Amino acid sequence: MKFNILRYDPDQDQKPYFKEYDIALEPSDRMLLDALIRIKSVDDTLALRRSCREGVCGSDAMNINGKNGLACVTKISDLKEPVVLKPLPGLPIIRDLIVDMTQFFKQYHSIKPFVINHDTPPETERLQSPTDRLELDGLYECILCACCSTACPSFWWNPDKFVGPAGLLAAYRFIADTRDQATNERLDNLEDPYRLFRCHTIMNCVDVCPKGLNPSLAIGKIKEMMVKRGV
Amino acid sequence: MANPASIPVRKYDAIVVGAGGSGLRAALQLSTAGLKVAVLSKVFPTRSHTVAAQGGVGASLGNMGEDNWHWHMYDTIKGSDWLGDQDAIEFMCKKAPEAVRELEHFGMPFDRNENGTIYQRPFGGHSQNFGEKPVQRSCCAADRTGHAMLHTLYQRNVFANTQFFVEWMALDLIRDAHGDVLGVTAMEMETGETMIFQAKATVFATGGAGRIYASSTNAFINTGDGLGMAARAGIPLEDMEFWQFHPTGVAGAGVLITEGVRGEGGILLNGNGERFMERYAPTMKDLASRDVVSRAMATEIKEGRGAGPNKDYILLKLDHLGPEVINKRLPGIREIAMKFANVDPIKEPIPVVPTCHYQMGGIPTNYRGEVVIPKDGNPNSVVPGFYAAGEVGCASIHGANRLGTNSLTDLLVMGKSAGDSVIEFIKQNPEYKDLPADAGQASLARLAKLENQQNGENVHAVGDAMRQTMQAHCGVFRFPDMLTEGVTKIKEVAARAERLEIKDKSKVFNTARIEALELQNLIEVAVSTMVSAENRKETRGAHDRADFHDRPGFVNGRDDENWLKHSLWYKGTDKIEYKPVNLNPLTVESFAPKARTY
């Protein structure tokens, strides 16, 4: 199987370049990550992140034939040859398929990703109805792989100012939690020409999310709350 | 080689190595106490393997019916095949409800009952009234409990301002002439720079090492780094012969399918469509303990009753639960089955096989998370400044076989306990001890050797040899001749691992170097496992020896007279020492060993 992989090692390369690989796969190689590991067994200089190999840790996000996705849950049989692999777009390359995610996590941290509740916790659990809990479905499952944010043109242009789809999905996850008491502060935190409103509903985030989540919908709900609050 | 004095040193009150569940729980305790703490992790914290836990965390909240910690304690002791230390087990089961509620207060998105309390599902080996009937004790967030837990713990650490060193790999433990632990050497993966993290207390929360086997549910990062570092520093490893094979890994892929599937009502079928667990465990059936179920499955396959064209797997049927339950309670399983087994469990059963999942053994600790080793006649002498929690530690809560959900309970309770012990220790020992003159030298020598090795061994080839050897010689069923041969073979592999060569010489994010360093840790785990397994002449829990099966006076092949004791393996000499199992709980009466049936 043929691959074209963007390589870059700042230790020795002036600039990124494509390297071609033609590799014999075994029948047990089902996912793109299996193929990459096979490549790595003959060329140990290829650098990538990977861990759980089942789509839940979010390590091996990359640009696969032009679309962001996780290597470990991308079936080889679904890929057109040569498979073109690039690091996630819009973030600085550290090496090969590894990008510097500092900016991405900075945005995630900026939305205060924790439940804020000023009451003294009860002896037992805080109660939450199944209906209220249902509000968190489609939000809490995010794996912070950054496929969405790095597929978003608004994030490419303003990674320092626009929170991006992953961070905004997380923001809404806490707004939607009945145990959280900081909705107003959270909305204040996003009330800015860039942080929330740079989302132009291009929907790339929805298209690429490997967990099938919909950041665009969550962003829409935050915007709605902003409008209601303004009235 | 660089002068060790040239390695930069950073000082912290405490360092935590590993940012999975136990590391984050310990770190939270330390940060909240106002200590200066650094958490080192090979990966961004939410990528740690706790994220892959699915079915739930065990705690006797009693939300679904009557339950109490004493029953949980009994189940855990019985699950451990009486090798677990009863003080540690009492401690964990008693603290579990508080640990779970705390997590809920931190914001964990647990599933809920109509009355708003946390939903709990049945799980293997958990029972009401000392084994009478299954109980619903597993607190869950759909089938993504580990993900929800790890993210919640990370988020709470963001709130507490914990300092993380992300993509730093710890290399070696630093001990002084007294054996006290003073920190670690570590390497920044992005730059290849090494540094000494000096600390008054060092907590290992490095997780498991399931990657010693070819077929494993474990993530690539589960390379036993803490075990390797401890073994190299002269700390013995406890009960390494006990590895859990989870009954339901996806056949061929190894990816985990939670026991929660059976908790929700899923059943196992052999190739004849028979619900065979009724024969092996009449009361608990498919919800018997994991070692029992895995052995039953392997027996069915061995005796020609497997499913599929090669009769080499078992079927996990859950279509009778209906799409609503599957989509609500097991959505992640459906996703995994469709991706990795090409079946939609709403319509078809999932092909599964027993798959390496969890190490019951590890660095010996007490229930306070303090590392303990034999010294001057005391089998449990505390190593000052050294702590371990979670899968890397062996308290021993899980003994010879862990119950499902107890790994998450362990990492919460033991992570917090280790944190509390560190706080206490630092209060009494506020000063830094002097680093030995050669601190860091061993790490630099290892790195230099790797850098300069020529005509050496390929990391992937040696890794494959290790994984195949472990799989063939030390699996679900163990045979005396295979174990003896296995010891010879794994030592040959270990000798090859002394001469690893990497082609990648870059300083920047050199993953070849990292994989070589990881293999050096894994190989210690593999050798300790094989040697300990060959040495233990009985069948107990997950350690099943064909030459020690049912004999008169030895129920299930267990030999309490000679083997009701923990093994302690030492690197280098392969010496094995023993220490007694603690059969004395903290406050309640001891549960005396008896026959184990489900």
Side-chain angles (χ1 to χ4, degrees):
Chain A
M1 190 163 191
K2 290 189 167 58
F3 293 84
N4 239 340
I5 304 179
L6 195 74
R7 301 292 310 268
Y8 176 61
D9 176 1
D11 234 11
Q12 27 212 321
D13 305 323
Q14 293 294 317
K15 56 179 185 184
Y17 65 99
F18 276 102
K19 183 164 180 182
E20 290 177 17
Y21 292 92
D22 192 351
I23 193 105
L25 297 181
E26 299 290 325
S28 59
D29 298 333
R30 271 173 280 202
M31 299 293 181
L32 173 59
L33 181 61
D34 301 328
L36 286 170
I37 286 164
R38 207 154 289 285
I39 291 173
K40 203 166 162 46
S41 70
V42 290
D43 177 3
D44 71 5
T45 67
L46 175 66
L48 68 144
R49 293 187 177 108
R50 84 284 178 271
S51 183
C52 75
R53 61 84 167 83
E54 58 190 59
V56 70
C57 79
S59 298
D60 64 352
M62 56 186 71
N63 188 272
I64 306 158
N65 280 344
K67 189 176 169 183
N68 292 352
L70 300 177
C72 60
V73 288
T74 299
K75 284 184 181 158
I76 292 169
S77 55
D78 291 346
L79 293 172
K80 199 168 69 82
E81 285 186 67
V83 182
V84 180
L85 299 178
K86 291 185 284 190
L88 289 175
L91 292 175
I93 302 175
I94 294 175
R95 180 174 171 184
D96 297 343
L97 297 171
I98 297 174
V99 290
D100 181 348
M101 296 183 73
T102 309
Q103 198 64 60
F104 173 80
F105 289 123
K106 212 168 164 181
Q107 291 297 1
Y108 173 68
H109 292 151
S110 80
I111 61 97
K112 300 198 173 169
F114 38 81
V115 163
I116 298 174
N117 185 311
H118 305 290
D119 299 341
T120 311
E123 287 279 300
T124 61
E125 64 264 51
R126 290 193 173 101
L127 301 182
Q128 186 174 47
S129 75
T131 322
D132 286 342
R133 166 59 184 79
L134 202 60
E135 291 296 317
L136 307 182
D137 277 2
L139 304 172
Y140 82 94
E141 302 94 324
C142 173
I143 58 173
L144 299 175
C145 65
C147 280
C148 60
S149 292
T150 61
C152 174
S154 298
F155 189 78
W156 296 340
W157 310 142
N158 297 104
D160 53 336
K161 293 181 189 150
F162 174 50
V163 172
L168 290 169
L169 184 85
Y172 188 64
R173 177 250 173 275
F174 293 100
I175 291 172
D177 197 321
T178 51
R179 298 168 296 177
D180 189 86
Q181 299 172 332
T183 298
N184 259 319
E185 292 140 79
R186 293 186 189 280
L187 294 178
D188 289 347
N189 177 283
L190 298 172
E191 187 119 50
D192 165 290
Y194 285 94
R195 285 181 61 72
L196 169 70
F197 289 102
R198 277 290 126 163
C199 168
H200 299 308
T201 334
I202 300 168
M203 307 278 274
N204 281 1
C205 53
V206 184
D207 188 39
V208 298
C209 177
K211 303 310 283 181
L213 307 179
N214 190 332
S216 196
L217 187 69
I219 294 168
K221 286 186 175 170
I222 304 176
K223 285 181 177 170
E224 217 172 278
M225 292 180 89
M226 289 272 197
V227 173
K228 273 192 192 151
R229 190 171 76 142
V231 175
Chain B
M1 195 172 74
N3 177 352
S6 70
I7 310 180
V9 178
R10 287 209 195 193
K11 288 184 173 185
Y12 290 87
D13 289 325
I15 57 169
V16 178
V17 184
S22 62
L24 290 179
R25 189 62 193 83
L28 187 56
Q29 209 66 3
L30 299 168
S31 288
T32 308
L35 293 178
K36 190 183 172 202
V37 53
V39 182
L40 278 61
S41 177
K42 288 197 291 187
V43 294
F44 185 78
T46 63
R47 319 224 186 278
S48 309
H49 193 53
T50 302
V51 80
Q54 297 173 350
V57 46
S60 57
L61 301 183
N63 287 350
M64 322 299 291
E66 199 187 346
D67 198 8
N68 65 60
W69 64 262
H70 202 199
W71 294 347
H72 187 188
M73 177 183 172
Y74 169 79
D75 293 338
T76 304
I77 292 169
K78 179 180 170 186
S80 81
D81 216 347
W82 273 269
L83 192 71
D85 290 318
Q86 297 193 10
D87 55 340
I89 295 174
E90 175 179 338
F91 181 77
M92 183 190 81
C93 296
K94 218 186 229 173
K95 295 273 184 188
E98 176 193 307
V100 166
R101 286 172 184 141
E102 253 172 14
L103 207 59
E104 193 284 324
H105 299 153
F106 296 160
M108 171 133 167
F110 282 110
D111 284 4
R112 301 290 175 155
N113 294 308
E114 281 308 318
N115 65 3
T117 55
I118 294 170
Y119 167 76
Q120 299 179 273
R121 60 163 56 112
F123 237 77
H126 290 279
S127 77
Q128 230 171 16
N129 205 16
F130 311 107
E132 205 173 276
K133 57 179 181 186
V135 71
Q136 292 185 241
R137 189 178 287 148
S138 173
C139 316
C140 59
D143 52 2
R144 307 186 180 99
T145 312
H147 170 278
M149 180 181 284
L150 187 67
H151 281 250
T152 302
L153 284 171
Y154 175 67
Q155 290 159 356
R156 193 67 182 180
N157 271 285
V158 172
F159 171 79
N161 260 320
T162 302
Q163 189 181 358
F164 288 99
F165 286 79
V166 173
E167 293 178 335
W168 280 76
M169 182 178 180
L171 301 174
D172 284 291
L173 198 60
I174 299 171
R175 299 180 77 187
D176 66 12
H178 307 287
D180 298 1
V181 168
L182 309 184
V184 296
T185 49
M187 183 177 71
E188 185 178 31
M189 289 155 71
E190 184 177 332
T191 60
E193 299 294 322
T194 48
M195 182 132 74
I196 288 174
F197 285 80
Q198 188 181 357
K200 297 168 193 167
T202 300
V203 182
F204 271 14
T206 53
R211 283 275 157 184
I212 61 169
Y213 285 93
S215 166
S216 172
T217 65
N218 281 205
F220 283 105
I221 55 169
N222 290 20
T223 54
D225 299 336
L227 299 170
M229 285 187 276
R232 282 194 295 276
I235 305 280
L237 303 183
E238 179 175 349
D239 292 341
M240 291 305 292
E241 59 271 42
F242 297 102
W243 282 84
Q244 176 159 85
F245 290 81
H246 193 290
T248 56
V250 172
V255 176
L256 175 69
I257 299 287
T258 176
E259 190 170 299
V261 170
R262 283 171 283 138
E264 295 289 345
I267 54 170
L268 294 164
L269 300 177
N270 65 18
N272 305 330
E274 182 206 359
R275 189 180 178 188
F276 57 91
M277 279 313 299
E278 293 178 326
R279 275 191 275 123
Y280 295 87
T283 307
M284 298 294 275
K285 302 189 178 74
D286 301 90
L287 284 178
S289 210
R290 286 179 179 170
D291 57 335
V292 174
V293 179
S294 282
R295 236 176 339 257
M297 292 168 68
T299 304
E300 291 298 302
I301 293 170
K302 199 173 63 176
E303 293 178 358
R305 292 188 296 277
N310 301 317
K311 299 189 174 205
D312 56 357
Y313 54 78
I314 294 295
L315 295 168
L316 177 59
K317 174 182 153 61
L318 62 157
D319 59 300
H320 56 284
L321 304 181
E324 202 179 312
V325 170
I326 293 175
N327 286 325
K328 184 175 168 194
R329 301 283 185 210
L330 305 164
I333 288 313
R334 186 172 177 219
E335 199 180 315
I336 286 173
M338 290 168 79
K339 279 181 178 141
F340 288 93
N342 292 319
V343 298
D344 181 351
I346 286 179
K347 297 176 201 142
E348 309 152 85
I350 310 171
V352 292
V353 288
T355 306
C356 172
H357 185 58
Y358 189 89
Q359 96 204 358
M360 269 72 74
I363 298 174
T365 75
N366 55 29
Y367 68 86
R368 289 180 291 274
E370 298 163 324
V371 174
V372 290
I373 58 172
K375 194 178 173 185
D376 304 330
N378 175 6
N380 292 303
S381 167
V382 170
V383 180
F386 195 24
Y387 303 79
E391 192 169 343
V392 69
C394 181
S396 156
I397 288 169
H398 311 299
N401 169 66
R402 174 175 69 76
L403 291 191
T405 76
N406 270 355
S407 59
L408 295 185
T409 315
D410 172 332
L411 61 82
L412 288 177
V413 173
M414 290 303 294
K416 184 178 179 182
S417 180
D420 283 337
S421 301
V422 167
I423 293 165
E424 197 51 44
F425 177 78
I426 291 178
K427 258 187 217 156
Q428 284 159 21
N429 302 274
E431 303 299 325
Y432 289 98
K433 290 173 187 149
D434 291 333
L435 286 175
D438 63 351
Q441 193 138 25
S443 299
L444 291 181
R446 214 147 52 85
L447 288 170
K449 182 159 190 253
L450 193 57
E451 188 73 17
N452 301 324
Q453 181 70 52
Q454 287 179 351
N455 303 316
E457 294 277 355
N458 176 284
V459 176
H460 278 257
V462 176
D464 277 343
M466 172 192 67
R467 289 183 283 272
Q468 299 304 341
T469 305
M470 294 310 294
Q471 196 75 31
H473 292 263
C474 206
V476 174
F477 293 118
R478 296 168 177 183
F479 305 90
D481 49 336
M482 290 295 279
L483 285 169
T484 312
E485 198 186 323
V487 170
T488 312
K489 275 194 178 174
I490 202 68
K491 285 189 183 174
E492 284 166 14
V493 179
R496 291 173 64 191
E498 294 284 321
R499 302 182 59 254
L500 296 178
E501 180 184 354
I502 52 174
K503 304 286 181 203
D504 191 344
K505 303 292 181 192
S506 173
K507 287 270 178 238
V508 182
F509 225 117
N510 187 330
T511 50
R513 178 181 297 148
I514 293 156
E515 287 182 21
L517 295 168
E518 288 176 331
L519 182 57
Q520 291 176 347
N521 292 325
L522 278 170
I523 199 72
E524 305 295 353
V525 181
V527 171
S528 65
T529 297
M530 193 74 85
V531 171
S532 305
E534 194 280 329
N535 181 67
R536 182 175 284 270
K537 308 289 192 298
E538 67 160 348
T539 287
R540 184 185 296 269
H543 177 60
D544 181 290
R545 281 185 68 128
D547 49 342
F548 294 94
H549 275 169
D550 263 339
R551 291 170 297 158
F554 299 93
V555 190
N556 303 330
R558 197 177 78 197
D559 180 356
D560 288 331
E561 203 181 309
N562 293 303
W563 287 99
L564 186 58
K565 56 187 179 185
H566 299 292
S567 326
L568 294 167
W569 169 89
Y570 289 81
K571 175 181 162 56
T573 55
D574 281 328
K575 180 178 70 173
I576 293 196
E577 290 184 0
Y578 303 99
K579 69 172 180 179
V581 174
N582 187 348
L583 294 169
N584 300 311
L586 298 168
T587 65
V588 292
E589 273 191 34
S590 176
F591 287 102
K594 61 175 188 179
R596 186 163 165 260
T597 53
Y598 282 97

